[in-house]
C-alpha cells in the first residue's frame, strides 16, 4: 500500500489526459490573419484621417484597433510557441505563452485607456473644432471593417483566452465606432464639439472593461486557481460519495491554459476495495460531470488507526499516512492524518 504523494505510488497511481488541447489549426491562423490585415489596413487610414479631422474619438478608435492588432499578433505567436513539445524543465511545454500574451494585452489596454482619459477630459474642458463630416464617414467605414473582422475571428476556436480576447476587443471596437458615428452626427447637427470627448470616454470604458477581464482571467491561471465553472468543495464531496471511497484529500484543480484543466488528488478506499476500478470510475465522473480530462489520481487502501494499550507515553507514535495534507479532507469518515495517540498503563 503506497504512502507517498506521487502518482507512481500506491495501488492506483494514474495519469490520464486528452492530448487534443490548444488552438493550433491552420484554419484558425488563416482567419486571424485575415482579421489582422483588415484591422491594420483600416487603422493606418484612420490615424491619418483622425489627425486631419482633429478628432480624438477617431484617434482613440485607432489606438483601440492597435491593441486589437497586438492581441491577434500575440495570439498567432502563442499558437506557434504552444505547439512545441514538452521537454526538459518545461514539463507542460510552453502552453502558457498564450496566458502571458493575454496579460500583456490586458495591461496595454488599461494603460492606453488611462492616457486617453486624460486627453478626453482636456478636450471636454477646451474642445477643438471637429470636422464632423469626415469623422462620420470614417466611423461608418470602421463599422463595416470591424463587422468583417469580428466575423473572421468568430470562425476561429474561441475557447483560447487569446482568441476570445481578440474577439471581444474587436467586438468592443465595433461598439466604439458606433459611438463615434453617433458623436459625429451630433457634431454635424448641433455643433456640440464636446460629443467627441464624450465618445472617447465611452471607448475608454470599453477598453478598461476588456483589459480588466483579460488580467483577471489570466491572473487566475497564473495563480493556479480552480476554473470558474468548477467548485473544488463540491467536486471533492462528489468524489468522496462514490462507492468504496472513504476519503479524498490533497485535491487540486487548476488550469494549465485557458483550455486545459488539470486535477490531482489522493483517494483512500475501504479495505478490500478495488483501487483500479475506483480510479477508473472517478476519472469517468470528473470527465463526464466536470469536463476535466487531465487527471492524476493516487488511490490507496485506507489504513486503520490502531489503539495500543499498555505502552508508555514515550513510545513512538504511529506514522501519519500523509505528512502534510493540503486543503480540506472530504469523506464520511475521515482518517486522522496526525499521529495516533498511544495510551499508557
Amino acid at each position: 500500500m503506497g504512502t507517498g504523494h506521487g502518482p507512481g505510488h500506491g495501488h492506483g497511481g494514474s495519469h490520464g489526459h486528452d492530448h487534443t488541447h490548444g488552438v493550433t489549426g491552420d484554419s484558425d491562423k488563416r482567419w486571424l490573419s485575415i482579421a489582422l490585415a483588415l484591422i491594420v489596413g483600416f487603422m493606418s487610414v484612420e490615424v491619418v484621417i483622425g489627425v486631419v479631422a482633429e478628432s480624438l474619438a477617431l484617434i482613440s478608435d485607432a489606438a483601440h484597433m492597435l491593441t486589437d492588432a497586438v492581441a491577434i499578433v500575440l495570439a498567432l505567436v502563442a499558437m506557434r510557441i504552444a505547439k512545441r513539445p514538452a521537454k526538459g524543465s518545461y514539463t507542460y511545454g510552453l502552453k502558457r505563452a498564450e496566458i502571458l500574451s493575454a496579460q500583456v494585452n490586458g495591461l496595454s489596454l488599461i494603460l492606453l485607456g488611462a492616457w486617453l482619459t486624460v486627453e478626453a477630459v482636456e478636450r471636454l474642458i477646451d474642445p477643438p473644432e471637429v470636422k464632423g463630416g469626415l469623422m462620420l464617414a470614417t466611423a461608418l467605414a470602421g463599422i463595416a471593417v470591424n463587422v468583417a473582422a469580428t466575423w473572421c475571428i468568430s470562425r476561429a476556436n474561441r475557447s483560447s483566452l487569446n482568441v476570445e480576447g481578440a474577439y471581444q476587443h474587436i467586438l468592443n471596437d465595433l461598439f466604439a465606432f458606433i459611438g463615434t458615428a453617433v458623436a459625429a452626427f451630433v457634431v454635424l447637427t448641433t455643433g456640440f464639439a464636446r460629443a467627441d470627448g464624450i465618445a472617447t470616454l465611452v471607448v475608454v470604458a470599453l477598453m478598461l472593461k476588456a483589459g480588466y477581464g483579460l488580467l483577471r482571467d489570466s491572473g487566475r491561471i497564473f495563480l493556479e486557481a480552480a476554473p470558474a465553472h468548477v467548485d473544488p468543495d463540491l467536486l471533492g464531496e462528489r468524489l468522496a460519495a462514490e462507492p468504496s471511497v472513504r476519503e479524498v484529500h490533497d485535491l487540486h484543480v487548476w488550469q494549465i491554459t485557458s483550455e486545459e484543466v488539470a486535477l490531482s488528488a489522493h483517494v483512500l478506499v475501504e479495505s478490500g476495495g478495488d483501487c483500479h476500478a475506483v480510479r477508473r470510475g472517478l476519472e469517468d465522473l470528473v470527465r463526464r460531470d466536470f469536463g476535466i480530462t487531465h487527471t492524476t489520481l493516487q488511490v490507496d487502501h485506507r489504513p486503520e488507526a490502531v489503539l495500543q494499550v499498555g505502552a508508555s507515553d514515550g513510545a513512538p507514535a504511529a506514522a501519519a499516512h500523509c505528512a502534510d495534507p493540503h486543503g480540506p479532507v472530504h469523506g464520511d469518515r475521515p482518517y486522522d492524518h496526525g499521529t495516533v495517540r498511544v495510551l499508557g498503563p
Side-chain angles (χ1 to χ4, degrees), residues 24-216:
T24 59
D26 291 337
S27 62
D28 293 335
K29 293 180 181 179
R30 182 174 67 252
W31 288 117
L32 288 174
S33 298
I34 294 173
L36 178 62
L38 289 170
I39 293 297
V40 171
F42 185 79
M43 178 188 66
S44 303
V45 174
E46 189 180 24
V47 169
V48 175
I49 297 176
V51 172
V52 173
E54 298 185 45
S55 170
L56 181 61
L58 286 179
I59 296 175
S60 66
D61 282 336
H64 195 181
M65 294 186 81
L66 175 61
T67 63
D68 295 339
V70 171
I72 296 173
V73 169
L74 290 176
L76 289 169
V77 172
M79 285 180 187
R80 185 177 184 85
I81 293 176
K83 291 178 66 175
R84 298 179 181 178
K87 61 181 181 179
S89 59
Y90 294 95
T91 57
Y92 280 119
L94 297 174
K95 294 180 179 182
R96 280 191 174 172
E98 66 154 336
I99 311 305
L100 282 172
S101 69
Q103 284 220 322
V104 171
N105 187 37
L107 182 59
S108 66
L109 276 174
I110 291 177
L111 293 177
L112 188 56
W115 173 73
L116 289 174
T117 298
V118 175
E119 293 292 322
V121 170
E122 290 180 355
R123 291 207 169 198
L124 287 175
I125 296 173
D126 184 19
E129 182 181 352
V130 177
K131 297 178 177 62
L134 192 56
M135 178 180 169
L136 177 60
T138 306
L140 292 175
I143 291 173
V145 170
N146 273 268
V147 166
T150 301
W151 181 81
C152 287
I153 295 186
S154 71
R155 303 285 293 176
N157 183 357
R158 288 170 50 199
S159 61
S160 164
L161 183 60
N162 271 337
V163 175
E164 178 63 16
Y167 174 81
Q168 291 297 333
H169 279 198
I170 294 177
L171 185 63
N172 287 333
D173 208 22
L174 173 61
F175 297 149
F177 269 113
I178 294 173
T180 301
V182 172
F185 180 78
V186 171
V187 172
L188 277 175
T189 56
T190 68
F192 182 60
R194 286 185 173 86
D196 180 61
I198 295 173
T200 301
L201 291 177
V202 173
V203 176
V204 166
L206 294 173
M207 293 172 66
L208 293 178
K209 178 177 180 294
Y212 168 77
L214 284 174
L215 288 178
R216 179 198 59 209

Side-chain angles (χ1 to χ4, degrees), residues 263-277:
L263 176 147
S264 67
H266 193 180
V267 181
L268 300 182
V269 303
E270 62 188 8
S271 179
D274 187 339
C275 290
H276 298 293

Side-chain angles (χ1 to χ4, degrees), residues 182-268:
V182 172
F185 180 78
V186 171
V187 172
L188 277 175
T189 56
T190 68
F192 182 60
R194 286 185 173 86
D196 180 61
I198 295 173
T200 301
L201 291 177
V202 173
V203 176
V204 166
L206 294 173
M207 293 172 66
L208 293 178
K209 178 177 180 294
Y212 168 77
L214 284 174
L215 288 178
R216 179 198 59 209
D217 294 343
S218 59
R220 284 182 60 87
I221 293 176
F222 278 125
L223 293 174
E224 298 193 336
H229 69 280
V230 176
D231 182 343
D233 290 331
L234 173 62
L235 174 57
E237 293 303 322
R238 288 287 304 278
L239 295 177
E242 288 297 291
S244 299
V245 176
R246 287 295 172 263
E247 179 180 322
V248 176
H249 61 268
D250 278 6
L251 173 64
H252 301 284
V253 187
W254 71 100
Q255 289 182 273
I256 300 171
T257 68
S258 53
E259 298 179 87
E260 186 172 350
V261 180
L263 176 147
S264 67
H266 193 180
V267 181
L268 300 182

